[in-house]
């Protein structure tokens, strides 16, 4: 009986160890989309999106340069980590590049944001990486929708 229990526990440990990967600092998410407008129009709408999409757009921003068409910042996303059956806070860096008719959203440098979280292994699973990729895809879709919508006249 002890032998069977030992085999089962060993199999579970070996199986879980195979699920781990180096999250997310090495992960890079990038998407280029076609959107209507000039470089300056797209840049202005992307900047408005940053201010309207994050709790404090001003604290999220690191750099904004309209001449280059670049906006950079750091943000935090809540991600469900199925391996630990809990939500976790993941911080990431983002960059928005614009030019006439196009916008590129890049996210990278993913890292654990909650220093009080005492279960850091939750952040190093493939499931968490996949959840983060889905979260970033939704963020990119939100940006593209916002930038593609013409501002309403008042």
């Amino acid at each position: 009986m002890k032998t069977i229990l030992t085999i089962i526990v060993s199999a579970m440990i070996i199986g879980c160890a195979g699920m781990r990967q180096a999250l997310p600092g090495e992960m890079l998410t990038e998407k280029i989309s076609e959107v209507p407008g000039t470089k300056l129009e797209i840049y202005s709408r992307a900047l408005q999106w940053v201010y309207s999409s994050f709790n404090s757009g001003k604290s999220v921003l690191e750099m904004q340069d309209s001449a280059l068409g670049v906006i950079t910042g750091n943000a935090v996303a809540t991600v469900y980590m199925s391996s630990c059956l809990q939500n976790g806070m993941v911080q990431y860096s983002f960059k928005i590049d614009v030019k006439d008719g196009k916008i590129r959203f890049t996210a990278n440098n993913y890292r654990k944001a909650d220093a009080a979280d005492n279960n850091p292994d939750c952040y190093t699973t493939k499931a968490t990486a996949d959840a983060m990729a889905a979260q970033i895809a939704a963020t990119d879709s939100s940006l593209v929708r916002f930038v593609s919508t013409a501002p309403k006249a008042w």
Side-chain angles (χ1 to χ4, degrees), residues 23 37 45 48 50 80 82 86 102 112 116-117 122 152:
L23 182 81
R45 291 194 306 256
Q48 289 173 347
V50 170
Y80 180 71
S82 60
Q86 70 181 36
K102 291 191 179 189
K112 182 175 84 148
D117 188 342
C122 293
K152 294 180 179 165

Side-chain angles (χ1 to χ4, degrees), residues 15-90:
C16 290
M19 291 173 33
R20 303 216 183 282
Q21 68 178 27
L23 182 81
E26 299 148 15
M27 196 167 97
L28 174 74
T29 309
E30 180 180 277
K31 182 160 183 216
I32 300 171
S33 302
E34 291 187 17
V35 293
T38 65
K39 177 180 174 180
L40 188 56
E41 291 169 336
I42 296 168
Y43 174 85
S44 295
R45 291 194 306 256
L47 194 56
Q48 289 173 347
W49 174 83
V50 170
Y51 281 110
S52 67
S53 296
F54 298 101
N55 289 339
S56 175
K58 196 171 191 177
S59 68
V60 166
L61 290 173
E62 292 230 336
M63 182 189 89
Q64 46 188 337
D65 187 324
S66 60
L68 293 174
V70 175
I71 300 168
T72 64
N74 288 296
V76 176
T78 302
V79 178
Y80 180 71
M81 297 178 289
S82 60
S83 60
C84 295
L85 302 176
Q86 70 181 36
N87 285 329
M89 303 299 284
V90 177

